[in-house]
Amino acid sequence: MPYSPQLLQYLEQELALPPESIAMALRQWQQQRGSLPIILWQYGFITLEQLDRIFEWLEQTGGNRFPKSV
């Protein structure tokens, strides 16, 4: 799995994102190879505030927990 299970858990538990939304974003991520949080935001699954919270969480947990664009 190229993305962190901790990130997926954070999205589900802390931001209360439905697993279906995360799954769709992951499919898009596989096609686009962009940033998963950005894809979630672009598709309207999260707000700009939630996007900010994700990036703060990533910083607090030791850095980048999702692949960068290829």
Side-chain angles (χ1 to χ4, degrees):
M1 190 183 296
Y3 36 82
S4 161
Q6 292 85 2
L7 174 59
L8 301 181
Q9 182 178 359
Y10 176 80
L11 295 173
E12 282 189 48
Q13 293 181 354
E14 297 297 321
L15 298 182
L17 290 180
E20 299 81 17
S21 297
I22 296 170
M24 182 181 170
L26 288 172
R27 285 192 297 276
Q28 291 301 315
W29 173 83
Q30 289 172 339
Q31 293 175 358
Q32 299 175 10
R33 293 290 186 199
S35 164
L36 182 59
I38 296 294
I39 291 171
L40 287 164
W41 174 70
Q42 287 175 329
Y43 280 84
F45 295 131
I46 61 173
T47 64
L48 196 53
E49 180 182 310
Q50 290 171 314
L51 180 63
D52 206 28
R53 286 178 55 194
I54 293 169
F55 286 129
E56 287 177 15
W57 179 84
L58 289 168
E59 284 182 28
Q60 292 173 358
T61 58
N64 202 3
R65 298 216 182 244
F66 52 88
K68 295 183 185 209
S69 300
V70 181

